[in-house]
Amino acid sequence: MLETYSLKEKWRQFLVVLLPILISQLALFSMTFFDTIMSGHASPTDLAGVAIGASLWVPVQSGLTGILMAVMPMVAQMLGAGRRDQVPFTIIQALYVAIAIAIAVIIFGGMALNPVMNMMQLEPDVREIAIGFLHAIAIGIIPLFLYTVIRCFIDALGQTRVTMVITLFSLPINVLLNYALIFGNFGLPRLGGVGAGYASAITYWCIFLISLFVVKRVHPFAEFGVFTKLYRISLAAWKELLKLGLPIGFSIFFEVSIFAAVTLFMSEYSTITIAAHQAAMNFASFIYMVPLSISMALTIVVGFEVGAKRFRDARQYSYMGIGIAVVLALLFGLGLLLFNKQVAGFYTTDIEVLELAQHFLMYSILFLISDAVAAPIQGVLRGYKDVTVTFIVALVSYWVIGLPLGYLLAKFTSFGAFGYWIGLITGLAAGAIFLFGRLLSLQKRMIQAHSQG
């Protein structure tokens, strides 16, 4: 597992954990990325339909799988404290929670879908594709949530290369299924944007089954004997997991859903505007996988050091991660400034969508810089199991500052649709500042308390 030596060794250890997570996240997100790109090449209507469907699905999926991400700091701290025997029980209880959450999503999501769609002023064809996309992707909800738990267990052991290999293996499956189902190749029906939903659902099943085999048969996971004993449901264990997981899940939900809310507000604009906004938002979300991956790596290494009571080492890892994220964000921003036309061209050949997407992409540069500070700090705080403040900050910065400001700018100024993006950027920047202050005070308190103890 993780060791702590010199600063040079820490850099090496952090990169060993980080790089496979980064590749895994980019590959996992590539499924949504290719769904959007390939739907856009089917037609602007398919792109808009998938955009609306994804806007409803992604916040729910991100928030609820975020609850299950509590497994990562829990297992990391158990390993750091030498309590390996508690790991199998924790994993099995988390799998039970995953199944319960997935079933609830399917039932309540199915009931809420039509009322939500009725609230939006969508063109009939766009509405039909959005509903079909969501029905298709529902087939993969249970395996996706179960995989999230297994992945957190694998990653908490520092074996992030394993999840990288699993995800990379599944990516070509997803692209091939998209090619077959969106465009009607290999003798299959042409389903357009709806085909992207089926492709993702089938891929989720593949990822889950592969990860299940790995945990049961491959070293070092098999030594834990996670599935050798069938534990009863423990409400006390559920409570512990949810106490940590709910603030994580809600903070992720508040962050991701703000973007979904903006996309839904965009439904009052033309299909061209929705498609251009979605193209730019999809690319910004793709780049966000970098600070998100750094955040996940920090949860593992900081959680391990905190479990072992090495608070100064935990602080060193924190600033390594934030520094890497900021430098990469500046490089990405420069690249986007120079090549925004080429990036927009990935998504569409429609001239109107292309030109509008370029304008939206310029705003996304400011997203990258705020995310480079906020996301790694969230990961560090999860490593400390300090999650409540992150939840409050997410709620205030996105929903009290970001969305209201964006709405006012869009409705009452000449910015129009771009006003929503300015509001989001302001909310992200405010969140980053609040979280940085929390991190400084927490680390100082932890180090002082340990020194005095």
Side-chain angles (χ1 to χ4, degrees), residues 15 24 28 40 51 55 96 128-129 131 160 170 217 241 272 276 279 312 330 343 355 365 376 380 405 409-410 413 433:
L15 292 175
S24 297
L28 203 56
S55 299
Y96 292 155
E128 186 180 339
I129 290 166
I131 290 175
T160 51
S170 64
R217 298 295 178 89
L241 188 141
I272 297 295
R312 291 185 189 277
L330 293 172
V343 171
E355 290 181 355
I365 293 172
V380 172
L405 177 62
L409 290 172
T413 72
I433 293 166

Side-chain angles (χ1 to χ4, degrees), residues 25 48 245 289:
Q25 285 302 119
M289 293 301 105

Side-chain angles (χ1 to χ4, degrees), residues 167-207:
T167 312
L168 287 176
F169 182 76
S170 64
L171 181 58
I173 297 173
N174 180 251
V175 174
L176 193 65
L177 288 168
N178 268 341
Y179 179 70
L181 294 169
I182 292 175
F183 301 107
N185 292 305
F186 308 123
L188 293 169
R190 179 188 170 92
L191 299 175
V194 177
Y198 283 112
S200 293
I202 296 167
T203 308
Y204 293 153
W205 276 103
C206 293
I207 294 175

